[in-house]
Amino acid sequence: MKLYPEMFLSPWHLIVLLMVLIAFIGLIMGGYDKKTVLRSTGLSALIFYFMLTIPIGLITQESLYKEETMIQSLDQRYEDKQANGQLHGTQDYVIAYVGAYKNEDDADIVVYAGNYHATQTFSGHIRVYLYDSEDEEVFIKTYEGVTLEPGEKKKLDSTFTSHPMTTYRFHYEAQPEV
């Protein structure tokens, strides 16, 4: 498990402040002495923080892991294309990558795209084809009106499929608007 800073301090952690404030006010209204109020408030802050951080960490870790691996895969595909001398037109600098993350009964399909051109913005549509191990189409989708600034990488889509896939391959076409 990789740790990300977003797991330990997020907007959701404001709930901890609210709960600590409620505990603090409750202890004061209960007539406890100052030492007990401060000790109990501090202890409740730690307990609330850990109780909230564990589920946030599990949820955040999965999504950030997917984002990190998708961007690494985009970068690798660009480097492969560059090494093979396949960068000729503006659309060649637009790279798409499809990742399939298997769950128990289905697969989470995530589509990312990146513009690796140094100066030109890509504006157009990207068509993605996903095939299973027997070359049957699982997923075909066109993303219209995609705008990618130079160097920008972003998530285009996330969907689920119950189609059984142990391996897959994908193909994409980037077509600039004229």
PDB file of all heavy atoms in Angstrom, residues 50-71:
ATOM      1  N   PHE A  50      -8.484   9.000  13.572  1.00  0.00           N
ATOM      2  CA  PHE A  50      -8.156   7.658  13.070  1.00  0.00           C
ATOM      3  C   PHE A  50      -9.378   6.938  12.513  1.00  0.00           C
ATOM      4  O   PHE A  50      -9.281   6.232  11.516  1.00  0.00           O
ATOM      5  CB  PHE A  50      -7.454   6.826  14.143  1.00  0.00           C
ATOM      6  CG  PHE A  50      -6.046   7.269  14.380  1.00  0.00           C
ATOM      7  CD1 PHE A  50      -5.667   7.771  15.613  1.00  0.00           C
ATOM      8  CD2 PHE A  50      -5.097   7.224  13.372  1.00  0.00           C
ATOM      9  CE1 PHE A  50      -4.364   8.202  15.832  1.00  0.00           C
ATOM     10  CE2 PHE A  50      -3.792   7.640  13.572  1.00  0.00           C
ATOM     11  CZ  PHE A  50      -3.427   8.133  14.808  1.00  0.00           C
ATOM     12  N   MET A  51     -10.522   7.132  13.152  1.00  0.00           N
ATOM     13  CA  MET A  51     -11.742   6.493  12.654  1.00  0.00           C
ATOM     14  C   MET A  51     -12.116   7.012  11.266  1.00  0.00           C
ATOM     15  O   MET A  51     -12.650   6.272  10.452  1.00  0.00           O
ATOM     16  CB  MET A  51     -12.906   6.728  13.626  1.00  0.00           C
ATOM     17  CG  MET A  51     -12.818   5.899  14.885  1.00  0.00           C
ATOM     18  SD  MET A  51     -14.134   6.255  16.080  1.00  0.00           S
ATOM     19  CE  MET A  51     -15.590   5.986  15.107  1.00  0.00           C
ATOM     20  N   LEU A  52     -11.840   8.270  10.998  1.00  0.00           N
ATOM     21  CA  LEU A  52     -12.165   8.846   9.694  1.00  0.00           C
ATOM     22  C   LEU A  52     -11.062   8.601   8.676  1.00  0.00           C
ATOM     23  O   LEU A  52     -11.338   8.381   7.499  1.00  0.00           O
ATOM     24  CB  LEU A  52     -12.411  10.348   9.853  1.00  0.00           C
ATOM     25  CG  LEU A  52     -12.949  11.073   8.629  1.00  0.00           C
ATOM     26  CD1 LEU A  52     -14.353  10.565   8.311  1.00  0.00           C
ATOM     27  CD2 LEU A  52     -12.988  12.558   8.862  1.00  0.00           C
ATOM     28  N   THR A  53      -9.806   8.609   9.099  1.00  0.00           N
ATOM     29  CA  THR A  53      -8.684   8.466   8.176  1.00  0.00           C
ATOM     30  C   THR A  53      -8.613   7.075   7.563  1.00  0.00           C
ATOM     31  O   THR A  53      -8.250   6.939   6.389  1.00  0.00           O
ATOM     32  CB  THR A  53      -7.368   8.811   8.893  1.00  0.00           C
ATOM     33  OG1 THR A  53      -7.444  10.161   9.357  1.00  0.00           O
ATOM     34  CG2 THR A  53      -6.175   8.663   7.964  1.00  0.00           C
ATOM     35  N   ILE A  54      -8.974   6.054   8.286  1.00  0.00           N
ATOM     36  CA  ILE A  54      -8.884   4.692   7.749  1.00  0.00           C
ATOM     37  C   ILE A  54      -9.774   4.511   6.516  1.00  0.00           C
ATOM     38  O   ILE A  54      -9.284   4.120   5.465  1.00  0.00           O
ATOM     39  CB  ILE A  54      -9.169   3.645   8.848  1.00  0.00           C
ATOM     40  CG1 ILE A  54      -8.004   3.639   9.841  1.00  0.00           C
ATOM     41  CG2 ILE A  54      -9.375   2.261   8.259  1.00  0.00           C
ATOM     42  CD1 ILE A  54      -8.253   2.842  11.095  1.00  0.00           C
ATOM     43  N   PRO A  55     -11.083   4.817   6.564  1.00  0.00           N
ATOM     44  CA  PRO A  55     -11.877   4.655   5.341  1.00  0.00           C
ATOM     45  C   PRO A  55     -11.480   5.635   4.227  1.00  0.00           C
ATOM     46  O   PRO A  55     -11.455   5.268   3.048  1.00  0.00           O
ATOM     47  CB  PRO A  55     -13.328   4.884   5.773  1.00  0.00           C
ATOM     48  CG  PRO A  55     -13.296   5.363   7.165  1.00  0.00           C
ATOM     49  CD  PRO A  55     -11.933   5.137   7.715  1.00  0.00           C
ATOM     50  N   ILE A  56     -11.134   6.868   4.598  1.00  0.00           N
ATOM     51  CA  ILE A  56     -10.692   7.830   3.576  1.00  0.00           C
ATOM     52  C   ILE A  56      -9.426   7.318   2.914  1.00  0.00           C
ATOM     53  O   ILE A  56      -9.268   7.400   1.701  1.00  0.00           O
ATOM     54  CB  ILE A  56     -10.453   9.227   4.202  1.00  0.00           C
ATOM     55  CG1 ILE A  56     -11.787   9.879   4.529  1.00  0.00           C
ATOM     56  CG2 ILE A  56      -9.644  10.117   3.262  1.00  0.00           C
ATOM     57  CD1 ILE A  56     -11.662  11.200   5.255  1.00  0.00           C
ATOM     58  N   GLY A  57      -8.514   6.780   3.702  1.00  0.00           N
ATOM     59  CA  GLY A  57      -7.263   6.250   3.161  1.00  0.00           C
ATOM     60  C   GLY A  57      -7.499   5.113   2.193  1.00  0.00           C
ATOM     61  O   GLY A  57      -6.875   5.045   1.129  1.00  0.00           O
ATOM     62  N   LEU A  58      -8.394   4.207   2.535  1.00  0.00           N
ATOM     63  CA  LEU A  58      -8.669   3.077   1.642  1.00  0.00           C
ATOM     64  C   LEU A  58      -9.284   3.533   0.328  1.00  0.00           C
ATOM     65  O   LEU A  58      -8.905   3.066  -0.744  1.00  0.00           O
ATOM     66  CB  LEU A  58      -9.586   2.072   2.343  1.00  0.00           C
ATOM     67  CG  LEU A  58      -8.970   1.357   3.546  1.00  0.00           C
ATOM     68  CD1 LEU A  58     -10.020   0.526   4.256  1.00  0.00           C
ATOM     69  CD2 LEU A  58      -7.790   0.519   3.128  1.00  0.00           C
ATOM     70  N   ILE A  59     -10.215   4.456   0.390  1.00  0.00           N
ATOM     71  CA  ILE A  59     -10.873   4.955  -0.826  1.00  0.00           C
ATOM     72  C   ILE A  59      -9.899   5.778  -1.662  1.00  0.00           C
ATOM     73  O   ILE A  59      -9.786   5.598  -2.875  1.00  0.00           O
ATOM     74  CB  ILE A  59     -12.118   5.780  -0.457  1.00  0.00           C
ATOM     75  CG1 ILE A  59     -13.172   4.867   0.168  1.00  0.00           C
ATOM     76  CG2 ILE A  59     -12.676   6.498  -1.667  1.00  0.00           C
ATOM     77  CD1 ILE A  59     -14.306   5.601   0.855  1.00  0.00           C
ATOM     78  N   THR A  60      -9.191   6.690  -1.021  1.00  0.00           N
ATOM     79  CA  THR A  60      -8.254   7.577  -1.725  1.00  0.00           C
ATOM     80  C   THR A  60      -7.096   6.806  -2.324  1.00  0.00           C
ATOM     81  O   THR A  60      -6.680   7.078  -3.450  1.00  0.00           O
ATOM     82  CB  THR A  60      -7.715   8.646  -0.754  1.00  0.00           C
ATOM     83  OG1 THR A  60      -8.812   9.336  -0.186  1.00  0.00           O
ATOM     84  CG2 THR A  60      -6.816   9.625  -1.463  1.00  0.00           C
ATOM     85  N   GLN A  61      -6.584   5.828  -1.603  1.00  0.00           N
ATOM     86  CA  GLN A  61      -5.431   5.069  -2.075  1.00  0.00           C
ATOM     87  C   GLN A  61      -5.741   4.388  -3.394  1.00  0.00           C
ATOM     88  O   GLN A  61      -4.932   4.403  -4.312  1.00  0.00           O
ATOM     89  CB  GLN A  61      -5.017   4.050  -1.006  1.00  0.00           C
ATOM     90  CG  GLN A  61      -3.680   3.413  -1.228  1.00  0.00           C
ATOM     91  CD  GLN A  61      -3.714   2.182  -2.104  1.00  0.00           C
ATOM     92  OE1 GLN A  61      -4.728   1.522  -2.252  1.00  0.00           O
ATOM     93  NE2 GLN A  61      -2.592   1.885  -2.699  1.00  0.00           N
ATOM     94  N   GLU A  62      -6.925   3.806  -3.526  1.00  0.00           N
ATOM     95  CA  GLU A  62      -7.283   3.105  -4.756  1.00  0.00           C
ATOM     96  C   GLU A  62      -7.375   4.063  -5.941  1.00  0.00           C
ATOM     97  O   GLU A  62      -6.813   3.810  -6.998  1.00  0.00           O
ATOM     98  CB  GLU A  62      -8.604   2.362  -4.582  1.00  0.00           C
ATOM     99  CG  GLU A  62      -9.001   1.585  -5.817  1.00  0.00           C
ATOM    100  CD  GLU A  62     -10.328   0.870  -5.663  1.00  0.00           C
ATOM    101  OE1 GLU A  62     -10.945   0.935  -4.587  1.00  0.00           O
ATOM    102  OE2 GLU A  62     -10.735   0.239  -6.635  1.00  0.00           O
ATOM    103  N   SER A  63      -8.052   5.188  -5.764  1.00  0.00           N
ATOM    104  CA  SER A  63      -8.209   6.121  -6.882  1.00  0.00           C
ATOM    105  C   SER A  63      -6.885   6.779  -7.258  1.00  0.00           C
ATOM    106  O   SER A  63      -6.592   6.959  -8.445  1.00  0.00           O
ATOM    107  CB  SER A  63      -9.272   7.171  -6.586  1.00  0.00           C
ATOM    108  OG  SER A  63      -8.861   8.009  -5.540  1.00  0.00           O
ATOM    109  N   LEU A  64      -6.062   7.138  -6.280  1.00  0.00           N
ATOM    110  CA  LEU A  64      -4.767   7.745  -6.588  1.00  0.00           C
ATOM    111  C   LEU A  64      -3.811   6.741  -7.219  1.00  0.00           C
ATOM    112  O   LEU A  64      -3.012   7.098  -8.086  1.00  0.00           O
ATOM    113  CB  LEU A  64      -4.147   8.357  -5.332  1.00  0.00           C
ATOM    114  CG  LEU A  64      -4.861   9.594  -4.793  1.00  0.00           C
ATOM    115  CD1 LEU A  64      -4.244  10.040  -3.476  1.00  0.00           C
ATOM    116  CD2 LEU A  64      -4.840  10.724  -5.804  1.00  0.00           C
ATOM    117  N   TYR A  65      -3.909   5.476  -6.809  1.00  0.00           N
ATOM    118  CA  TYR A  65      -3.089   4.435  -7.423  1.00  0.00           C
ATOM    119  C   TYR A  65      -3.462   4.279  -8.902  1.00  0.00           C
ATOM    120  O   TYR A  65      -2.588   4.192  -9.768  1.00  0.00           O
ATOM    121  CB  TYR A  65      -3.276   3.105  -6.685  1.00  0.00           C
ATOM    122  CG  TYR A  65      -2.659   1.937  -7.412  1.00  0.00           C
ATOM    123  CD1 TYR A  65      -1.284   1.737  -7.400  1.00  0.00           C
ATOM    124  CD2 TYR A  65      -3.450   1.060  -8.149  1.00  0.00           C
ATOM    125  CE1 TYR A  65      -0.716   0.680  -8.083  1.00  0.00           C
ATOM    126  CE2 TYR A  65      -2.885   0.000  -8.834  1.00  0.00           C
ATOM    127  CZ  TYR A  65      -1.516  -0.190  -8.798  1.00  0.00           C
ATOM    128  OH  TYR A  65      -0.960  -1.232  -9.485  1.00  0.00           O
ATOM    129  N   LYS A  66      -4.758   4.259  -9.197  1.00  0.00           N
ATOM    130  CA  LYS A  66      -5.199   4.146 -10.587  1.00  0.00           C
ATOM    131  C   LYS A  66      -4.696   5.327 -11.405  1.00  0.00           C
ATOM    132  O   LYS A  66      -4.179   5.150 -12.507  1.00  0.00           O
ATOM    133  CB  LYS A  66      -6.728   4.071 -10.673  1.00  0.00           C
ATOM    134  CG  LYS A  66      -7.299   2.751 -10.268  1.00  0.00           C
ATOM    135  CD  LYS A  66      -8.814   2.781 -10.374  1.00  0.00           C
ATOM    136  CE  LYS A  66      -9.429   1.504  -9.854  1.00  0.00           C
ATOM    137  NZ  LYS A  66     -10.894   1.545  -9.905  1.00  0.00           N
ATOM    138  N   GLU A  67      -4.841   6.539 -10.864  1.00  0.00           N
ATOM    139  CA  GLU A  67      -4.394   7.731 -11.582  1.00  0.00           C
ATOM    140  C   GLU A  67      -2.887   7.673 -11.847  1.00  0.00           C
ATOM    141  O   GLU A  67      -2.429   7.950 -12.957  1.00  0.00           O
ATOM    142  CB  GLU A  67      -4.743   8.982 -10.786  1.00  0.00           C
ATOM    143  CG  GLU A  67      -4.294  10.267 -11.448  1.00  0.00           C
ATOM    144  CD  GLU A  67      -4.625  11.494 -10.631  1.00  0.00           C
ATOM    145  OE1 GLU A  67      -5.302  11.388  -9.591  1.00  0.00           O
ATOM    146  OE2 GLU A  67      -4.184  12.581 -11.039  1.00  0.00           O
ATOM    147  N   GLU A  68      -2.124   7.298 -10.843  1.00  0.00           N
ATOM    148  CA  GLU A  68      -0.663   7.235 -10.979  1.00  0.00           C
ATOM    149  C   GLU A  68      -0.244   6.206 -12.033  1.00  0.00           C
ATOM    150  O   GLU A  68       0.603   6.478 -12.875  1.00  0.00           O
ATOM    151  CB  GLU A  68      -0.048   6.889  -9.631  1.00  0.00           C
ATOM    152  CG  GLU A  68       1.453   6.871  -9.623  1.00  0.00           C
ATOM    153  CD  GLU A  68       1.993   6.543  -8.242  1.00  0.00           C
ATOM    154  OE1 GLU A  68       1.680   7.278  -7.291  1.00  0.00           O
ATOM    155  OE2 GLU A  68       2.721   5.540  -8.133  1.00  0.00           O
ATOM    156  N   THR A  69      -0.840   5.015 -12.004  1.00  0.00           N
ATOM    157  CA  THR A  69      -0.470   3.986 -12.976  1.00  0.00           C
ATOM    158  C   THR A  69      -0.919   4.353 -14.381  1.00  0.00           C
ATOM    159  O   THR A  69      -0.226   4.050 -15.351  1.00  0.00           O
ATOM    160  CB  THR A  69      -1.031   2.602 -12.580  1.00  0.00           C
ATOM    161  OG1 THR A  69      -2.452   2.676 -12.465  1.00  0.00           O
ATOM    162  CG2 THR A  69      -0.420   2.109 -11.302  1.00  0.00           C
ATOM    163  N   MET A  70      -2.057   5.010 -14.504  1.00  0.00           N
ATOM    164  CA  MET A  70      -2.528   5.424 -15.826  1.00  0.00           C
ATOM    165  C   MET A  70      -1.600   6.475 -16.437  1.00  0.00           C
ATOM    166  O   MET A  70      -1.258   6.399 -17.611  1.00  0.00           O
ATOM    167  CB  MET A  70      -3.963   5.959 -15.743  1.00  0.00           C
ATOM    168  CG  MET A  70      -4.992   4.903 -15.391  1.00  0.00           C
ATOM    169  SD  MET A  70      -5.135   3.587 -16.609  1.00  0.00           S
ATOM    170  CE  MET A  70      -5.873   4.468 -17.951  1.00  0.00           C
ATOM    171  N   ILE A  71      -1.168   7.433 -15.640  1.00  0.00           N
ATOM    172  CA  ILE A  71      -0.269   8.476 -16.150  1.00  0.00           C
ATOM    173  C   ILE A  71       1.089   7.881 -16.501  1.00  0.00           C
ATOM    174  O   ILE A  71       1.692   8.237 -17.521  1.00  0.00           O
ATOM    175  CB  ILE A  71      -0.177   9.646 -15.160  1.00  0.00           C
ATOM    176  CG1 ILE A  71      -1.509  10.407 -15.184  1.00  0.00           C
ATOM    177  CG2 ILE A  71       0.991  10.570 -15.489  1.00  0.00           C
ATOM    178  CD1 ILE A  71      -1.629  11.526 -14.200  1.00  0.00           C
TER     179      ILE A  71
END
